[in-house]
Amino acid sequence: MRTPSAPTEEPAARELASRIAAGDRRALARAITLVESTRPEDRAPAEALMAALPRSSIESLRIGIAGAPGVGKSTLIETLGLHAIGQGHRLAVLAVDPSSPVSGGSILGDKTRMAELSRAPAAFIRPSPAAGRLGGVARRTAEAVRLCEAAGHGRIIVETVGLGQSETAISGLVDLVLLLVPPGGGDELQGIKRGIMETADILVVTKADGAMLEQAGRTAAEYQHALRLIRPQPGWAPVARTCSALTGAGIAELWAEIERFQEALGPAAMAARRSEQAVQQLSAEIEEELKAALGRAGLGDRLAALQREVAAGRLTPRAAARAIVAELVKPAAEP
Amino acid sequence: MRTPSAPTEEPAARELASRIAAGDRRALARAITLVESTRPEDRAPAEALMAALPRSSIESLRIGIAGAPGVGKSTLIETLGLHAIGQGHRLAVLAVDPSSPVSGGSILGDKTRMAELSRAPAAFIRPSPAAGRLGGVARRTAEAVRLCEAAGHGRIIVETVGLGQSETAISGLVDLVLLLVPPGGGDELQGIKRGIMETADILVVTKADGAMLEQAGRTAAEYQHALRLIRPQPGWAPVARTCSALTGAGIAELWAEIERFQEALGPAAMAARRSEQAVQQLSAEIEEELKAALGRAGLGDRLAALQREVAAGRLTPRAAARAIVAELVKPAAEP
């Protein structure tokens, strides 16, 4: 099945893909905008682009960074990113933002974030998307990650911006998750969603400097103790570390820990994990496609009405599901 | 849209529903078998039954019990259940079993489990389903819970049997989750899936008797400390307790803690949580219905092939999703 516009699109997709592979930063930025777009007319070109993309030959590492607003994600990424570049890596920084109006990144403004890192030729920083512009957040970020890898960026940082599902969605997008927490006890953890602590591979206590230095060390020890009670992934037991973006203390050690994770897992386990993530993304994509199909069939309001009936206990989930699916799908051929 | 057999089914459904409401245990058992059935011909009667069910007037509490095989779930449920009955409650015990061939419950055999509790007139114990008989596990269990409530059982225990997704699925079915752990440190936690600890409302260290008494107390204190680092739900901070099904120590206190949870949350918050769970179940039901529709349309193999392509990185999740959905849904009317 070809869309009518496909023949003219494919040369354009191939050209854009080869410019990305050649390291053209503006082409990369344009491509990410294309895959993130929710405009229906951008869908076919975006798909053609992803299909035209050569498989990246570099061995990449995808690093998720989660944490509540104010914990110091941007400053840590700047400091850690400059260290990574100093080690010879090419780095890309992307953001997952569930279109929250209280997005920390958007409030600060993209231009003031990571000022030094954004000027480095080996770094590509994608400004966080404006609130409300994104559709299925995690789905598009996965494609943006692959575009950055095709452009030769071997280290990808995916940052959660704002609160919400992004914190738990991030573990489906990356190879390892860094969870940033402030010095202090559990009371300060109000911004962290339930569920994220157990997905953290490295827990980082930030702002370990000045008056907070000692408190940060105690906090890390406490978390290290708590992490011991959580079942580890095969091949990696979660660790808690401290660092300071201000003094640089602990930054080189944190980067070494990240690379130790990559070695500990090994390429086979990491490839298996990525395959599993892709299959999970397929489920999410099918759900999105079906939602779009419901909309096209004029059934969006019908689904909302059924959801209200189910929430009120007037209809069972099973009966509601059968009703909506029967209206959507082609009738099965009678045997 | 009515199925051809509907007119004759509805009186049967109404009769079964009223026998359940009258406390007929065999009718309740038959009804659960009906909603758990994966036979296509049972679907319409099951739906008719659920629709005919009167809304339960009792204020129920749904208690999930999770924990690795061998931790002592059955013996705790027996002891705790007898205590609840002694308090004047009518109790039902259901099991969530993800059709695992290594199911602990099935190995022991249903008849030997909870021998004393199963003879109590105020208790209804549903044997755990045989491996492989169930389709969508959590979905059917939600309906079985509502059947037990309609039969006047105000306290429902949903137990995870075997390993697998049941441990994380259970939190979508119940009002609170008890996570059972053995005395000892994190090394013994290998059977607990990542993600379950953060959903536990009450953590119970079992086997707190004899030589393990002191160790159990230390373990509970350690977990209590770790739970402090996890963000609590509004209205309830998770607690760690010890108990012994052998000596009965801590059983009355554990039941009091469960009732304290119910009071702390309050009826409004609990109703809101159940509404949210029902809407989530609708999503799961839609997914199941669509999978069934794919099967009917002969697209099951096509989906499996697309999943393999996606896992191997030869196709993007987006392109695969669009392909399968286009084959399944009715074409949209052209504008």
Coordinates of all heavy atoms in Angstrom, one line a residue, chain A residues 51-136:
Chain A
A51 N 12.6 5.3 7.4 CA 12.9 4.1 6.6 C 14.2 4.3 5.8 O 14.9 3.3 5.5 CB 11.7 3.8 5.6
A52 N 14.5 5.5 5.4 CA 15.7 5.8 4.6 C 16.9 5.9 5.4 O 18.0 5.9 4.9 CB 15.5 7.1 3.8
L53 N 16.8 6.0 6.7 CA 17.9 6.2 7.6 C 18.8 4.9 7.6 O 18.4 3.8 7.8 CB 17.4 6.3 9.1 CG 18.0 7.4 10.0 CD1 18.0 8.7 9.3 CD2 17.3 7.4 11.3
P54 N 20.1 5.2 7.4 CA 21.0 4.0 7.4 C 21.1 3.5 8.9 O 21.0 4.3 9.8 CB 22.4 4.6 7.0 CG 22.3 6.0 7.2 CD 20.8 6.4 7.1
R55 N 21.3 2.2 9.1 CA 21.5 1.7 10.5 C 22.8 2.2 11.0 O 23.8 2.1 10.3 CB 21.5 0.2 10.5 CG 20.1 -0.3 10.0 CD 20.0 -1.8 10.3 NE 19.9 -2.0 11.7 CZ 19.7 -3.2 12.3 NH1 19.6 -4.3 11.5 NH2 19.6 -3.4 13.6
S56 N 22.8 2.8 12.2 CA 23.9 3.4 12.7 C 25.0 2.4 13.0 O 24.7 1.3 13.5 CB 23.6 4.2 14.0 OG 24.7 4.7 14.6
S57 N 26.2 2.7 12.7 CA 27.3 1.7 12.9 C 28.0 1.9 14.3 O 28.7 1.1 14.7 CB 28.4 1.8 11.8 OG 28.9 3.1 11.8
I58 N 27.7 3.1 14.9 CA 28.4 3.4 16.2 C 27.7 2.6 17.3 O 26.5 2.3 17.2 CB 28.4 4.9 16.5 CG1 26.9 5.4 16.5 CG2 29.3 5.6 15.6 CD1 26.8 6.7 17.1
E59 N 28.5 2.3 18.3 CA 27.9 1.6 19.5 C 27.5 2.7 20.4 O 28.3 3.4 21.1 CB 29.0 0.8 20.1 CG 28.5 -0.3 21.0 CD 29.6 -0.9 21.8 OE1 30.3 -1.8 21.2 OE2 29.8 -0.6 23.0
S60 N 26.2 2.9 20.5 CA 25.7 4.0 21.3 C 25.3 3.6 22.7 O 25.1 2.4 23.0 CB 24.5 4.6 20.5 OG 23.4 3.8 20.6
L61 N 25.2 4.6 23.5 CA 24.6 4.4 24.9 C 23.6 5.5 25.1 O 23.8 6.7 24.9 CB 25.8 4.5 25.9 CG 25.3 4.2 27.4 CD1 24.9 2.7 27.5 CD2 26.5 4.5 28.3
R62 N 22.4 5.0 25.5 CA 21.3 5.9 25.8 C 21.0 6.1 27.3 O 20.7 5.1 27.9 CB 20.0 5.4 25.1 CG 20.2 5.1 23.6 CD 19.0 4.3 23.0 NE 19.3 4.0 21.6 CZ 18.5 3.2 20.9 NH1 17.5 2.5 21.5 NH2 18.8 3.0 19.6
I63 N 21.2 7.3 27.7 CA 21.2 7.6 29.2 C 20.0 8.4 29.5 O 19.8 9.5 29.1 CB 22.5 8.3 29.6 CG1 23.7 7.6 29.1 CG2 22.5 8.6 31.1 CD1 24.9 8.5 28.9
G64 N 19.1 7.8 30.4 CA 18.0 8.6 30.8 C 18.3 9.4 32.1 O 19.0 8.8 33.0
I65 N 17.8 10.6 32.2 CA 18.0 11.4 33.4 C 16.6 11.8 33.9 O 15.9 12.6 33.3 CB 19.0 12.5 33.2 CG1 20.4 11.9 32.8 CG2 19.1 13.4 34.4 CD1 21.5 12.9 32.9
A66 N 16.3 11.4 35.1 CA 15.0 11.7 35.7 C 15.2 12.4 37.0 O 16.2 12.3 37.7 CB 14.1 10.4 35.9
G67 N 14.2 13.1 37.5 CA 14.3 13.9 38.7 C 13.3 15.0 38.8 O 12.9 15.5 37.7
A68 N 13.0 15.4 40.0 CA 12.0 16.5 40.1 C 12.5 17.8 39.7 O 13.8 18.0 39.7 CB 11.5 16.5 41.6
P69 N 11.7 18.7 39.3 CA 12.1 20.1 38.9 C 12.9 20.7 40.1 O 12.5 20.5 41.3 CB 10.8 20.9 38.7 CG 9.8 19.8 38.4 CD 10.2 18.6 39.1
G70 N 14.0 21.3 39.8 CA 14.8 22.0 40.9 C 15.9 21.1 41.4 O 16.7 21.6 42.2
V71 N 16.0 19.9 41.0 CA 17.0 19.0 41.6 C 18.3 19.2 40.9 O 19.4 18.8 41.4 CB 16.6 17.5 41.4 CG1 16.7 17.0 40.0 CG2 17.4 16.6 42.3
G72 N 18.3 19.9 39.7 CA 19.6 20.3 39.1 C 19.9 19.4 37.9 O 21.1 19.1 37.6
K73 N 18.9 19.1 37.1 CA 19.1 18.2 35.9 C 19.9 18.9 34.9 O 20.9 18.4 34.4 CB 17.8 17.7 35.3 CG 17.0 16.7 36.2 CD 15.9 16.0 35.4 CE 14.8 17.0 35.0 NZ 14.0 17.5 36.2
S74 N 19.5 20.2 34.6 CA 20.2 20.9 33.5 C 21.7 21.1 33.8 O 22.6 20.9 33.0 CB 19.5 22.2 33.2 OG 18.2 22.0 32.7
T75 N 22.0 21.6 35.0 CA 23.4 21.8 35.4 C 24.2 20.6 35.4 O 25.3 20.5 35.0 CB 23.5 22.6 36.7 OG1 22.7 21.9 37.7 CG2 23.0 24.0 36.6
L76 N 23.6 19.4 35.9 CA 24.3 18.2 35.8 C 24.6 17.8 34.4 O 25.7 17.3 34.1 CB 23.5 17.1 36.6 CG 24.3 15.7 36.5 CD1 25.4 15.7 37.6 CD2 23.4 14.5 36.7
I77 N 23.6 17.9 33.5 CA 23.8 17.5 32.1 C 24.9 18.3 31.5 O 25.7 17.8 30.8 CB 22.5 17.6 31.4 CG1 21.5 16.5 31.9 CG2 22.7 17.4 29.9 CD1 20.1 16.6 31.4
E78 N 24.9 19.6 31.8 CA 25.9 20.5 31.2 C 27.3 20.0 31.7 O 28.2 19.8 30.8 CB 25.7 21.9 31.7 CG 26.9 22.8 31.5 CD 26.6 24.1 30.7 OE1 26.3 24.0 29.5 OE2 26.8 25.2 31.2
T79 N 27.5 19.8 33.0 CA 28.8 19.4 33.5 C 29.2 18.0 33.0 O 30.3 17.8 32.6 CB 28.8 19.4 35.0 OG1 28.1 20.6 35.5 CG2 30.2 19.5 35.6
L80 N 28.3 17.1 33.1 CA 28.5 15.7 32.7 C 28.8 15.6 31.2 O 29.6 14.9 30.7 CB 27.3 14.8 33.1 CG 27.5 13.3 33.1 CD1 28.6 12.8 34.1 CD2 26.2 12.6 33.3
G81 N 28.0 16.4 30.5 CA 28.1 16.4 29.0 C 29.5 17.0 28.6 O 30.1 16.4 27.7
L82 N 30.0 18.0 29.2 CA 31.3 18.6 28.9 C 32.4 17.6 29.2 O 33.3 17.4 28.4 CB 31.5 19.9 29.6 CG 30.7 21.1 29.2 CD1 30.7 22.2 30.1 CD2 31.1 21.5 27.8
H83 N 32.2 16.8 30.3 CA 33.2 15.8 30.6 C 33.2 14.7 29.5 O 34.2 14.2 29.1 CB 32.8 15.2 32.0 CG 33.7 14.0 32.4 ND1 35.0 14.2 32.9 CD2 33.5 12.7 32.3 CE1 35.5 13.0 33.1 NE2 34.7 12.1 32.7
A84 N 32.0 14.3 29.1 CA 31.9 13.2 28.1 C 32.6 13.7 26.8 O 33.3 12.9 26.1 CB 30.4 12.9 27.8
I85 N 32.3 14.9 26.4 CA 32.9 15.5 25.2 C 34.5 15.5 25.3 O 35.2 15.1 24.4 CB 32.4 16.9 24.9 CG1 30.9 16.8 24.4 CG2 33.2 17.6 23.9 CD1 30.3 18.1 24.3
G86 N 34.9 15.8 26.5 CA 36.4 15.8 26.8 C 36.9 14.4 26.7 O 38.1 14.3 26.4
Q87 N 36.1 13.4 26.8 CA 36.6 12.0 26.7 C 36.5 11.6 25.2 O 36.7 10.4 24.9 CB 35.7 11.1 27.5 CG 35.6 11.4 29.0 CD 36.8 10.8 29.7 OE1 37.1 9.6 29.6 NE2 37.6 11.7 30.4
G88 N 36.1 12.5 24.3 CA 36.1 12.2 22.9 C 34.8 11.7 22.4 O 34.7 11.3 21.2
H89 N 33.7 11.8 23.2 CA 32.4 11.4 22.7 C 31.7 12.5 22.0 O 31.9 13.7 22.2 CB 31.5 10.9 23.9 CG 32.0 9.7 24.5 ND1 32.0 8.5 23.9 CD2 32.6 9.5 25.7 CE1 32.5 7.5 24.7 NE2 32.9 8.1 25.8
R90 N 30.8 12.1 21.1 CA 29.8 13.1 20.5 C 28.5 12.8 21.2 O 28.1 11.7 21.4 CB 29.7 12.9 19.0 CG 31.0 13.2 18.3 CD 30.8 13.3 16.8 NE 29.9 14.4 16.4 CZ 29.1 14.4 15.4 NH1 29.0 13.4 14.6 NH2 28.3 15.5 15.1
L91 N 27.9 13.9 21.7 CA 26.8 13.8 22.6 C 25.5 14.5 22.1 O 25.6 15.5 21.4 CB 27.2 14.5 23.9 CG 26.1 14.6 25.0 CD1 26.0 13.2 25.8 CD2 26.4 15.7 26.0
A92 N 24.4 13.9 22.3 CA 23.1 14.6 22.0 C 22.3 14.6 23.3 O 22.3 13.7 24.0 CB 22.4 13.8 20.9
V93 N 21.5 15.7 23.4 CA 20.6 15.8 24.6 C 19.2 16.1 24.1 O 19.0 17.0 23.4 CB 21.1 17.0 25.5 CG1 20.1 17.1 26.7 CG2 22.5 16.8 26.0
L94 N 18.3 15.2 24.5 CA 16.9 15.3 24.1 C 16.1 15.4 25.4 O 16.5 15.0 26.4 CB 16.5 14.1 23.3 CG 17.2 13.8 22.0 CD1 16.9 12.4 21.5 CD2 16.9 14.8 21.0
A95 N 14.9 15.9 25.2 CA 14.0 16.0 26.4 C 12.7 15.3 26.2 O 12.2 15.3 25.0 CB 13.7 17.4 26.7
V96 N 12.2 14.6 27.2 CA 10.9 14.0 27.1 C 10.0 14.9 28.0 O 10.2 15.1 29.2 CB 10.8 12.6 27.7 CG1 9.4 12.0 27.7 CG2 11.7 11.7 27.0
D97 N 9.0 15.5 27.4 CA 8.1 16.4 28.1 C 6.7 16.0 27.8 O 6.2 16.1 26.7 CB 8.4 17.8 27.6 CG 7.6 18.8 28.3 OD1 6.6 18.5 29.0 OD2 7.9 20.0 28.2
P98 N 5.9 15.6 28.8 CA 4.6 15.2 28.5 C 3.6 16.3 28.4 O 2.5 16.4 28.9 CB 4.2 14.3 29.8 CG 5.1 14.9 30.8 CD 6.3 15.5 30.2
S99 N 4.1 17.4 27.7 CA 3.3 18.5 27.3 C 2.6 19.2 28.6 O 1.5 19.6 28.6 CB 2.1 18.1 26.4 OG 2.7 17.4 25.3
S100 N 3.4 19.1 29.7 CA 2.9 19.7 30.9 C 3.0 21.2 30.9 O 4.1 21.7 30.5 CB 3.7 19.1 32.1 OG 3.6 19.9 33.2
P101 N 2.0 21.9 31.3 CA 2.1 23.3 31.4 C 3.0 23.8 32.5 O 3.5 25.0 32.5 CB 0.7 23.8 31.7 CG 0.0 22.6 32.3 CD 0.7 21.4 31.7
V102 N 3.4 22.9 33.4 CA 4.3 23.3 34.5 C 5.7 22.9 34.2 O 6.5 22.7 35.1 CB 3.9 22.8 35.9 CG1 2.6 23.5 36.4 CG2 3.7 21.3 35.9
S103 N 6.0 22.7 32.9 CA 7.4 22.2 32.5 C 8.5 23.2 33.0 O 8.5 24.3 32.6 CB 7.4 22.1 31.0 OG 8.7 22.2 30.5
G104 N 9.4 22.6 33.7 CA 10.5 23.4 34.2 C 11.4 23.9 33.1 O 11.7 25.1 33.1
G105 N 11.6 23.1 32.1 CA 12.5 23.5 31.0 C 11.9 24.7 30.3 O 12.7 25.6 29.9
S106 N 10.7 24.7 30.0 CA 10.1 25.7 29.2 C 10.0 27.0 29.9 O 10.1 28.1 29.4 CB 8.7 25.3 28.8 OG 8.7 24.1 28.0
I107 N 9.9 26.9 31.3 CA 9.8 28.2 32.1 C 11.2 28.9 32.0 O 11.3 30.1 31.8 CB 9.4 27.9 33.5 CG1 7.9 27.5 33.6 CG2 9.7 29.0 34.4 CD1 7.5 26.9 34.8
L108 N 12.2 28.1 32.2 CA 13.6 28.7 32.2 C 13.9 29.2 30.8 O 14.7 30.2 30.7 CB 14.6 27.6 32.6 CG 14.7 27.3 34.1 CD1 15.7 26.2 34.3 CD2 15.1 28.5 34.9
G109 N 13.4 28.7 29.8 CA 13.7 29.1 28.5 C 14.9 28.3 27.9 O 15.8 28.0 28.6
D110 N 14.8 27.9 26.7 CA 15.8 26.9 26.2 C 17.1 27.5 26.0 O 18.1 26.9 26.1 CB 15.3 26.4 24.8 CG 14.0 25.6 25.0 OD1 13.9 24.9 26.0 OD2 13.1 25.8 24.1
K111 N 17.2 28.8 25.7 CA 18.5 29.4 25.4 C 19.4 29.5 26.6 O 20.6 29.5 26.4 CB 18.3 30.7 24.7 CG 17.6 30.6 23.3 CD 17.7 31.8 22.5 CE 17.0 31.6 21.1 NZ 15.6 32.1 21.2
T112 N 18.8 29.7 27.8 CA 19.7 29.8 28.9 C 20.2 28.5 29.5 O 21.0 28.5 30.3 CB 18.9 30.6 30.0 OG1 17.8 29.8 30.4 CG2 18.5 32.0 29.6
R113 N 19.6 27.4 29.0 CA 20.0 26.1 29.6 C 21.3 25.6 28.9 O 21.4 25.7 27.7 CB 18.9 25.1 29.3 CG 17.6 25.4 30.1 CD 16.5 24.4 29.7 NE 16.8 23.1 30.1 CZ 16.7 22.0 29.4 NH1 16.2 22.1 28.2 NH2 17.0 20.8 29.9
M114 N 22.2 25.1 29.7 CA 23.4 24.4 29.2 C 24.1 25.3 28.2 O 24.4 24.8 27.1 CB 23.0 23.1 28.5 CG 22.1 22.2 29.3 SD 21.5 20.8 28.5 CE 20.1 20.4 29.5
A115 N 24.4 26.5 28.6 CA 25.0 27.5 27.7 C 26.3 27.1 27.1 O 26.5 27.2 25.9 CB 25.1 28.8 28.4
E116 N 27.2 26.5 27.9 CA 28.5 26.2 27.4 C 28.4 24.9 26.5 O 29.0 24.9 25.5 CB 29.4 25.9 28.6 CG 30.9 26.0 28.2 CD 31.8 25.7 29.4 OE1 31.4 25.9 30.6 OE2 33.0 25.3 29.2
L117 N 27.7 23.9 27.0 CA 27.5 22.7 26.3 C 26.9 22.9 24.9 O 27.3 22.3 23.9 CB 26.7 21.7 27.0 CG 26.6 20.3 26.5 CD1 27.9 19.6 26.4 CD2 25.6 19.4 27.4
S118 N 26.0 23.8 24.8 CA 25.3 24.1 23.5 C 26.2 24.7 22.5 O 25.9 24.7 21.3 CB 24.0 24.9 23.8 OG 24.4 26.2 24.2
R119 N 27.3 25.3 22.9 CA 28.3 25.9 22.0 C 29.3 24.9 21.5 O 30.1 25.2 20.6 CB 29.0 27.1 22.6 CG 28.1 28.4 22.6 CD 28.9 29.6 23.0 NE 29.6 29.5 24.3 CZ 29.1 29.9 25.4 NH1 27.9 30.4 25.5 NH2 29.7 29.7 26.6
A120 N 29.4 23.7 22.2 CA 30.4 22.7 21.8 C 30.0 22.0 20.5 O 28.9 21.6 20.3 CB 30.5 21.7 22.9
P121 N 31.0 22.0 19.5 CA 30.7 21.4 18.2 C 30.3 19.9 18.4 O 29.6 19.4 17.5 CB 32.0 21.5 17.4 CG 32.7 22.6 18.1 CD 32.3 22.5 19.6
A122 N 30.8 19.2 19.4 CA 30.6 17.7 19.5 C 29.2 17.5 20.2 O 28.8 16.3 20.4 CB 31.7 17.1 20.3
A123 N 28.5 18.5 20.6 CA 27.2 18.3 21.3 C 26.1 18.8 20.4 O 26.2 19.8 19.7 CB 27.2 19.0 22.6
F124 N 25.0 18.1 20.5 CA 23.8 18.5 19.8 C 22.7 18.6 20.9 O 22.4 17.6 21.5 CB 23.3 17.6 18.7 CG 22.0 17.9 18.1 CD1 21.9 18.9 17.1 CD2 20.8 17.3 18.5 CE1 20.7 19.2 16.5 CE2 19.6 17.6 18.0 CZ 19.5 18.6 17.0
I125 N 22.2 19.8 21.2 CA 21.1 19.9 22.2 C 19.8 20.3 21.6 O 19.7 21.3 20.9 CB 21.5 21.0 23.3 CG1 22.8 20.5 23.9 CG2 20.4 21.1 24.3 CD1 23.3 21.4 25.1
R126 N 18.9 19.5 21.8 CA 17.5 19.7 21.3 C 16.7 20.5 22.3 O 16.6 20.0 23.4 CB 16.9 18.4 21.0 CG 15.4 18.5 20.5 CD 15.4 19.0 19.1 NE 14.0 19.1 18.6 CZ 13.7 19.6 17.5 NH1 14.7 20.1 16.7 NH2 12.5 19.6 17.1
P127 N 16.3 21.7 22.0 CA 15.5 22.4 23.0 C 14.2 21.6 23.3 O 13.7 20.8 22.5 CB 15.1 23.7 22.2 CG 15.9 23.8 21.0 CD 16.4 22.4 20.7
S128 N 13.8 21.7 24.5 CA 12.6 20.9 24.9 C 11.4 21.5 24.2 O 11.3 22.7 23.9 CB 12.4 21.0 26.4 OG 12.1 22.4 26.8
P129 N 10.6 20.6 23.7 CA 9.4 21.0 22.9 C 8.5 21.9 23.7 O 8.3 21.7 24.9 CB 8.7 19.7 22.6 CG 9.2 18.7 23.5 CD 10.6 19.1 24.0
A130 N 7.9 22.8 23.0 CA 6.9 23.7 23.7 C 5.7 22.9 24.2 O 5.3 21.9 23.6 CB 6.5 24.8 22.7
A131 N 5.2 23.4 25.3 CA 4.0 22.6 25.9 C 2.9 22.5 24.9 O 2.6 23.5 24.1 CB 3.5 23.4 27.1
G132 N 2.3 21.4 24.8 CA 1.1 21.2 23.9 C 1.4 20.9 22.5 O 0.5 20.5 21.7
R133 N 2.7 21.0 22.1 CA 3.0 20.7 20.7 C 3.1 19.2 20.4 O 2.9 18.8 19.3 CB 4.3 21.4 20.3 CG 4.3 21.9 18.9 CD 5.7 22.4 18.5 NE 6.7 21.4 18.5 CZ 8.0 21.6 18.7 NH1 8.5 22.8 18.9 NH2 8.9 20.6 18.6
L134 N 3.5 18.5 21.4 CA 3.7 17.0 21.2 C 2.5 16.2 21.3 O 1.6 16.5 22.0 CB 4.7 16.5 22.2 CG 6.2 16.7 21.9 CD1 7.0 15.9 22.9 CD2 6.5 16.2 20.5
G135 N 2.5 15.1 20.5 CA 1.5 14.1 20.6 C 1.9 13.0 21.6 O 2.1 13.2 22.8
G136 N 2.2 11.8 21.0 CA 2.7 10.7 21.9 C 4.2 11.0 22.1 O 5.0 10.8 21.3

